[in-house]
Each structure stands twice: as C-alpha cells, then as structure tokens.
Amino acid sequence: MRRSILLAAVTLALASGVLVSVFVILRIVQPRSVLASPSVSLIWPLSGSTTPDVISITSPFGPRWQISQNRTDYHPGIDIKADEGTPVHAVAAGIATEVGYLSAEAGLGVVISHPLMNYYSAYLHLSLTNTNVNDVVTQGQVIGFVGQTGNTEFSHLHFEIRLTANNYPTSTQNPMGYLPRSDVTTPAIQIVNLYSVPIYSPTASVVISMPRSELDLNQISVTLRDRSTGLIVDSQLVDFNRRLNTGSDSLSQNGIVLDPNHFNETATTYLLTANFNNLHALDSFTLTARAIDLAGHIGTATAVALDTTPPGQVTTLVAHRRSNGVALSWIAPGDSDFIGRAMTYEVRFTSTLIGSQFFWAAGLPVLNPPTPITGSQLQSWLITQPLADPVYFALVAYDEEGNVSTVSDPPAQAIWATYLPLILK
C-alpha cells in the first residue's frame, strides 16, 4: 500500500504559559492505482510470465507471406499458435475498452487500454471472453481463451500493441519492442543484386535475416554516395512501425517491394528481401544498406557501382557561318545519356564529309572547346580560329569515368549560304 508522509505543526500551550510548536508526522494511506505505471514490465499473453512465447509464433509483425492464402501482406501484430481454450492473460493492468466481435477479420476479441503507458493491447480470434467493457483488469488476469473466430484457418492468438484506438491499424507497433525477450543479435544483411546500367536508374536487392528469438526488424535503408565527392545522391527508408512510411498494407510502395519468405512455428530464421527499384544516381556510387532492429542494432552491407553509361549521342549539331567565325549549337548530353552533366567535349573538323569513325579520327581538334552544361539544355559556341571552307564538324562527350559518347550524328545538310554541313555516324 502506498503512503504519503506529511508534516503538521501543532501548537501546544504548556502550563507554564509558554507556547511550543511540535511537528507531528502524519501517514495518509492512499490506494495503489490498478493501472500500470510507465515503467511496468509486461508479461507474455500465453505464458502469463516473462517467459517468451516466441517458440509458437507463426507470423511476425510486418511483412509476411501467408502460405494458406498464397499472398503477402503487412501484419499488424504477432500470431502465437496454441490449442483452442488456452488461457489468454492481460500483459499489463488496464481497462477493457472493447470486448466482443470486433470485425469479420478479427473475430472475438478484447482491447485493453493502458493509459499511463499510452498504448493499447489487443487480443483477437478468441473462442470465449470473461471480460466486459470498462472492467479494470490486473496484469496476468485471464481475459479470454484462444480460439479460431474471424478470418483464420487455425487456432491461435493474434496479439497487437496499438498507440491509439481510433486510427487503427496504422498505429500498430511491433509487440517485440514491448514484451520481455532477448535482444542481443544484430540483423544480418547482404546485397544480393545491384544493377547499375543505366547508372542513373540503378536497382538493388538486399536480404535480411533475423533469429526467431528476436523478430524485431524495424527499418531497412539504402544510401547512395557519389564515389568522387562522397556526397549522398539518394537514400530510401522503410520503417515497419510506420507502416512502411505510408500506412498501407501493400508491400510494394514508392518503388520498394518487400518479399518475405514463409515463416511458421518451425522456422528458425525470418528472411526478407527488400527490392529498391526507384533509385537515382549520376555517376559511380557506393551503396550502403542497413538493417536496424528495435534495440538500435545495425547490420550493414556495402557495394560499389561503376558508371559504364556514356554521355548521350548529340544528334542536333548545327553550324552557322558568322562574320567573325562559325557558331555551333546543340542539345547538351549528360553525364549518363542526357542525365546530369558531361565532363568534357572533343570537337573535330575536316574539309571532307565525316562519314565514319575513321574520318572522325582523321579530323583535327578545335581548340578550347567549352565546358558541358546540364544535359538536355541548348548549348552554343563561337569558333573564331581560321577554318577552310567548306568545313565539317562533329563532337563527342566524355564523363568522369572516361566513358565516351558516340560521334554526333545530325542530318547531312549542305546549305552553303547559311549552314555548314555536319555529319555523324
């Protein structure tokens, strides 16, 4: 029983006429709250103790593959297999806020509010309940019994932790972050596929594995850093406790596709493949993949993607004769195709038609070509060095990795009065 100690000053009049103040200790007995405090330790709903029920978990929280329905979905709780009639215990003290058939999916269930801990616990697919709405329940109290009501094909308890009652299911959290258990293992992660052609639209697949005893995978992230500058060029994050960041049940969102392996009570390891299909880069990059659990353990894997995509081929090169030289204009290529910015240009000219790579190689370089601008923008350049007439131009672009574009290929026009003929093969 909790007690509060108060000091009270009592003034006594002694026979001698002297007033004396005496401090008296008062003990006021206060009833102990039946609601759990924020620091209370939960118990497992079937064992009714701190002994984990992980040996019987058939579906973890988050991405799962339902073999019975041959589909994947986002699981808002954990499923614990047990015989029908197995007692279900309240994981902490609280107040029953919902009791009865909650939905066609959930079946018979009980939802308990834990106000001082700011969350709810939910117990679904029950066969019977012995709890009523507004009942105050104590930790460990039997609130119902395992069953097979609702949309399920076997007897088990579906258990959830919800942050709020009114925006379920987007507020569900991984119960493994609340229930007592071992949490010492770092998630294992490896990059199994990294495709970087074209470099500006790479894809990556990573595989994460966790032991049955933990099942607390919470986040998967990938970060792309430019190899030459070290700057981050793209990053993507999946957060299971935030419903993959969108609140949706789908395991395919924003170009990220999650593909869980089948998991049941006999599986020793939880395996999940995360496919990132909407990444962006401009040049060679280092990809770092991370798997983070609820305890903050971080598994890391890295891979390098080299840029083998050349700048785009210029097909818009035109020339104009000016009184002070020749003006060239073209749509600028990029670092990779027409994405980003190329590194350098090489412009050559000949007095004969540049009809092949051989004639390009035989051409003479134009001095001091301009620096490339951002791809897909119009670029121009005035050449003032003396040139014979007629003269034919072509150009190539290089990126930072030394990839070179195909020689430019505009229409072969010979408009002598205004344009110089330009050719590219």
Side-chain angles (χ1 to χ4, degrees):
M1 187 171 289
R2 188 170 58 188
R3 296 176 172 84
S4 296
I5 299 176
L6 301 178
L7 295 179
V10 180
T11 301
L12 302 178
L14 300 183
S16 60
V18 178
L19 296 178
V20 179
S21 292
V22 179
F23 286 96
V24 179
I25 298 178
L26 303 178
R27 295 183 182 270
I28 302 176
V29 178
Q30 295 180 337
R32 184 177 184 273
S33 173
V34 297
L35 303 180
S37 70
S39 60
V40 71
S41 296
L42 302 190
I43 60 174
W44 279 76
L46 295 188
S47 71
S49 68
T50 57
T51 302
D53 295 327
V54 294
I55 193 63
S56 299
I57 290 179
T58 58
S59 288
F61 177 88
R64 67 163 177 176
W65 176 35
Q66 288 184 289
I67 190 170
S68 60
Q69 300 182 29
N70 194 30
R71 70 180 181 92
T72 59
D73 69 354
Y74 186 91
H75 194 216
I78 58 175
D79 288 346
I80 309 174
K81 188 175 183 179
D83 293 334
E84 185 161 344
T86 300
V88 176
H89 306 266
V91 296
I95 301 172
T97 57
E98 295 182 66
V99 178
Y101 278 86
L102 305 183
S103 69
E105 177 75 21
L108 184 62
V110 175
V111 178
I112 298 175
S113 170
H114 309 284
L116 299 182
M117 294 187 290
N118 296 316
Y119 59 76
Y120 298 75
S121 57
Y123 315 77
L124 310 181
H125 303 312
L126 303 180
S127 60
L128 294 170
T129 67
N130 55 0
T131 307
N132 298 310
V133 173
N134 295 326
D135 278 359
V136 174
V137 299
T138 58
Q139 185 178 54
Q141 179 178 328
V142 175
I143 58 172
F145 301 88
V146 171
Q148 195 177 334
T149 58
N151 186 13
T152 181
E153 297 184 0
F154 64 99
S155 176
H156 72 280
L157 171 68
H158 174 94
F159 175 74
E160 294 178 0
I161 293 291
R162 306 175 181 177
L163 294 184
T164 61
N166 56 5
N167 73 336
Y168 168 81
T170 59
S171 71
T172 54
Q173 303 288 288
N174 192 338
M176 304 301 278
Y178 296 78
L179 296 167
R181 64 196 170 83
S182 168
D183 195 355
V184 296
T185 304
T186 298
I189 184 171
Q190 59 178 323
I191 301 169
V192 294
N193 287 309
L194 176 56
Y195 297 106
S196 56
V197 179
I199 194 70
Y200 54 81
S201 183
T203 62
S205 296
V206 299
V207 174
I208 303 96
S209 62
M210 301 200 70
R212 164 180 287 278
S213 59
E214 300 208 3
L215 297 178
D216 65 341
L217 181 62
N218 187 45
Q219 293 181 344
I220 306 170
S221 70
V222 293
T223 303
L224 280 62
R225 290 183 179 273
D226 186 277
R227 289 193 70 208
S228 61
T229 65
L231 297 177
I232 294 176
V233 295
D234 197 6
S235 62
Q236 295 188 13
L237 172 69
V238 171
D239 189 318
F240 296 163
N241 267 344
R242 295 181 181 178
R243 307 282 289 181
L244 313 188
N245 299 333
T246 68
S248 171
D249 252 347
S250 171
L251 299 187
S252 177
Q253 299 172 41
N254 303 321
I256 304 172
V257 180
L258 302 182
D259 184 17
N261 279 29
H262 177 234
F263 184 91
N264 59 19
E265 70 273 18
T266 65
T268 59
T269 304
Y270 173 72
L271 289 173
L272 173 69
T273 301
N275 303 290
F276 294 86
N277 301 310
N278 196 25
L279 300 172
H280 303 281
L282 294 177
D283 215 328
S284 300
F285 62 86
T286 299
L287 182 142
T288 301
R290 294 182 176 87
I292 307 171
D293 69 13
L294 293 170
H297 300 130
I298 303 175
T300 303
T302 60
V304 174
L306 297 179
D307 180 8
T308 60
T309 305
Q313 180 190 30
V314 172
T315 60
T316 54
L317 185 64
V318 295
H320 302 267
R321 176 67 73 176
R322 305 292 190 212
S323 60
N324 57 343
V326 176
L328 295 182
S329 64
W330 63 94
I331 300 299
D335 177 275
S336 300
D337 202 359
F338 284 84
I339 306 297
R341 179 182 297 186
M343 185 74 172
T344 58
Y345 289 129
E346 183 179 2
V347 182
R348 295 192 179 196
F349 68 96
T350 69
S351 59
T352 58
L353 205 62
I354 303 176
S356 68
Q357 187 69 30
F358 173 81
F359 290 104
W360 159 263
L364 296 175
V366 183
L367 303 178
N368 303 315
T371 300
I373 62 175
T374 301
S376 300
Q377 295 185 8
L378 179 64
Q379 186 164 12
S380 60
W381 177 36
L382 180 64
I383 302 172
T384 58
Q385 71 184 73
L387 298 170
D389 195 5
V391 63
Y392 301 84
F393 294 94
L395 68 79
V396 297
Y398 296 86
D399 65 15
E400 293 179 346
E401 299 294 337
N403 299 307
V404 59
S405 71
T406 304
V407 179
S408 56
D409 188 17
Q413 298 183 14
I415 306 176
W416 303 103
T418 307
Y419 294 94
L420 297 178
L422 309 168
I423 186 70
L424 206 65
K425 293 290 182 183

